Amino acid sequence: MSDCIFCKIARGEIPCAKVYEDDKVLAFDDIHPMAPVHVVIIPKNHISTLMDVAADKDDIINHLTAAAQKVAKIKGVDASGFRVAINCNAEGGQVVFHLHVHVLGGRKLQDELG
Ligand code: AMP
Ligand code: ZN
């Protein structure tokens, strides 16, 4: 059993402000939002980084993208616009090593890609 923080959130051991959930993913408000809308979407199964996604047989990226669309609609930023980002490894800014997608919106985003 993983003691990864996002695994604990997926198992309900750490509370979160849930935005969306299905059998494969869970989306919740980021605890340190960088925009009025800042949601993190995680696969329920532990995958450490984007580099650990098996591109040939894993549909999790499609599923995360579909979930990002749903989150954007739930948060009301689908028409105004939003940003989807995946940080990978240290120089990519990844702090939590459980794959996650950031959905940012609710204000005009500048060039904040680092
Ligand atoms: P990253 O830098 O891509 O690894 O992003 C990790 C994100 O997870 C950061 O934006 C954190 O604010 C967020 N985060 C960490 N712990 C929690 C938590 N318990 N609940 C919600 N968001 C969290
Ligand atoms: Zn995990």
Side-chain angles (χ1 to χ4, degrees), residues 4-11 28 40 42-43 96 98-100:
C4 154
I5 186 167
F6 284 178
C7 282
K8 287 183 176 173
I9 290 175
R11 290 196 297 264
F28 50 89
V40 172
I42 65 169
V96 177
H98 178 129
L99 177 67
H100 53 280

Side-chain angles (χ1 to χ4, degrees), residues 44-60:
K44 288 185 172 176
N45 291 333
H46 183 87
I47 301 170
S48 294
T49 81
L50 184 63
M51 293 308 296
D52 299 301
V53 175
D56 55 337
K57 63 184 169 95
D58 208 326
D59 70 346
I60 192 61

Side-chain angles (χ1 to χ4, degrees), residues 90-109:
E91 291 195 0
Q94 187 172 7
V95 173
V96 177
F97 282 79
H98 178 129
L99 177 67
H100 53 280
V101 171
H102 296 263
V103 177
L104 295 147
R107 66 172 168 82
K108 179 76 176 83
L109 297 167

